[in-house]
Amino acid sequence: MDSKKLIYAGKAKDVYETENPDEVIVAFRDDITAGDGEKKDNLQGKGHCNSLISTKLFEILEENGIATQCIELKKSCHMRAKKLEMIPLEVIARNIATGSLLKRFPFEENQKLDPPIIQMDYKNDEYHDPMLNEEITIALGIASQEDLDEIKKITLKINKILSEFLKEKGILLVDFKLEFGKDKDGNIVLGDEISPDTCRYWDINTLQTLDKDSFRQGQDNVMDIYEQVCGMIVDEKDLKKWKIT
Ligand code: UDP
């Protein structure tokens, strides 16, 4: 790999420095975690699927005018990307009420959320990613009001683009988490990943889970689901090009 030093190791991805100081390699691993890291496993092929899905969705966003970190899929599991200064926010967009939202607030299960809800959590393991409001975010120096306004605007645009794209593929985009960073010129750019690890995808007809909820629920066909959703989202030619032999 054209990489040097490991600069960041997350729960399912690593980030490596490259020869170019403005670029990094994002390496998707097979590790999978849930419940604040309490439930763990390693699923062979998951990194491959997530790298293909993320690259495809970043490509769709770029085509629609959204700045993303992604430059190209260099090889299976390895995305060449712009180096960003990451903002420690988990920006969650919700179209349907499910998951932790139901535990915290009296929404009805599967209640349609129109307009969508944007929620921001503090990405901080020590504090278990607490939900933020704008005043706390600004007082902590995490982001400015201007940054927050822009992040919200971009997230709503991403929600529209991805919901429409995925609908055509037979997938309902229920909710998802994004992470943003700033590039060397101070522009806000979408980073991280958009994969079944970070989104809720439901089959548009059967409402069957096509994402990490299968792992959270302890199903034994998690990899089958990731491969199925990869086949639904990624073009045939790319599936063939990057096929693991
Ligand atoms: N999510 C994520 N990382 C997190 C928390 C949430 O990728 O640390 C995603 C999750 O997969 C879902 C959406 O954000 O698509 C909303 O998650 P929720 O707040 O409902 O939390 P959960 O029920 O997944 O704990």
Side-chain angles (χ1 to χ4, degrees):
M1 183 170 58
D2 296 338
S3 63
K4 289 180 182 165
K5 206 175 88 199
L6 177 69
I7 41 184
Y8 173 80
K11 294 193 186 88
K13 290 190 304 303
D14 294 324
V15 179
Y16 293 91
E17 186 178 76
T18 69
E19 311 271 314
N20 182 338
D22 298 331
E23 291 183 6
V24 292
I25 293 285
V26 178
F28 291 75
R29 305 201 314 266
D30 288 340
D31 298 304
I32 185 164
T33 68
D36 215 3
E38 274 168 30
K39 189 174 155 79
K40 289 184 191 156
D41 207 342
N42 184 278
L43 302 174
Q44 204 189 338
K46 193 204 69 144
H48 171 76
C49 286
N50 280 5
S51 68
L52 263 68
I53 294 169
S54 279
T55 312
K56 174 68 192 176
L57 296 179
F58 280 141
E59 192 185 300
I60 296 295
L61 292 174
E62 288 277 356
E63 283 170 14
N64 284 278
I66 304 286
T68 81
Q69 179 182 34
C70 177
I71 300 171
E72 62 166 356
L73 189 66
K74 201 160 167 34
K75 61 177 184 178
S76 167
C77 300
H78 287 178
M79 180 176 81
R80 188 158 77 89
K82 286 173 212 144
K83 188 172 186 173
L84 301 178
E85 188 73 46
M86 293 305 291
I87 302 168
L89 287 176
E90 301 202 331
V91 183
I92 295 169
R94 301 176 182 276
N95 296 307
I96 292 175
T98 189
S100 69
L101 196 68
L102 299 183
K103 293 187 194 137
R104 288 166 162 170
F105 302 104
F107 287 103
E108 272 172 44
E109 190 166 4
N110 298 354
Q111 182 180 329
K112 195 166 187 308
L113 303 169
D114 190 12
I117 290 177
I118 306 282
Q119 169 195 333
M120 299 207 193
D121 292 354
Y122 184 24
K123 187 176 162 80
N124 185 311
D125 284 343
E126 192 186 340
Y127 288 87
H128 307 285
D129 304 340
M131 194 189 291
L132 290 165
N133 69 20
E134 292 195 343
E135 285 75 9
I136 295 173
T137 310
I138 294 163
L140 282 171
I142 295 170
S144 66
Q145 184 69 59
E146 204 185 4
D147 290 342
L148 291 175
D149 292 346
E150 192 176 348
I151 286 172
K152 257 199 225 165
K153 203 172 94 189
I154 302 172
T155 301
L156 286 170
K157 202 170 162 198
I158 291 174
N159 184 39
K160 247 182 140 185
I161 298 163
L162 292 185
S163 294
E164 279 168 23
F165 171 78
L166 291 168
K167 192 175 164 194
E168 281 177 19
K169 306 283 178 187
I171 296 169
L172 187 64
L173 183 60
V174 174
D175 58 30
F176 58 97
K177 183 260 311 178
L178 302 175
E179 294 182 27
F180 292 88
K182 287 196 177 177
D183 66 12
K184 60 180 179 4
D185 301 319
N187 301 309
I188 290 185
V189 175
L190 178 66
D192 196 49
E193 68 182 300
I194 313 180
S195 74
D197 275 13
T198 62
C199 302
R200 285 197 171 90
Y201 300 136
W202 290 354
D203 182 296
I204 217 155
N205 298 311
T206 64
L207 304 187
Q208 184 211 332
T209 290
L210 298 172
D211 58 61
K212 195 164 91 171
D213 271 350
S214 57
F215 175 71
R216 294 187 185 96
Q217 292 158 4
Q219 294 183 28
D220 55 14
N221 61 343
V222 179
M223 255 334 287
D224 293 340
I225 287 175
Y226 275 64
E227 274 162 15
Q228 181 188 343
V229 88
C230 189
M232 291 166 87
I233 292 175
V234 178
D235 299 337
E236 193 64 40
K237 68 167 180 18
D238 289 326
L239 290 171
K240 278 198 187 122
K241 179 175 173 188
W242 300 110
K243 196 170 166 57
I244 314 178
T245 45

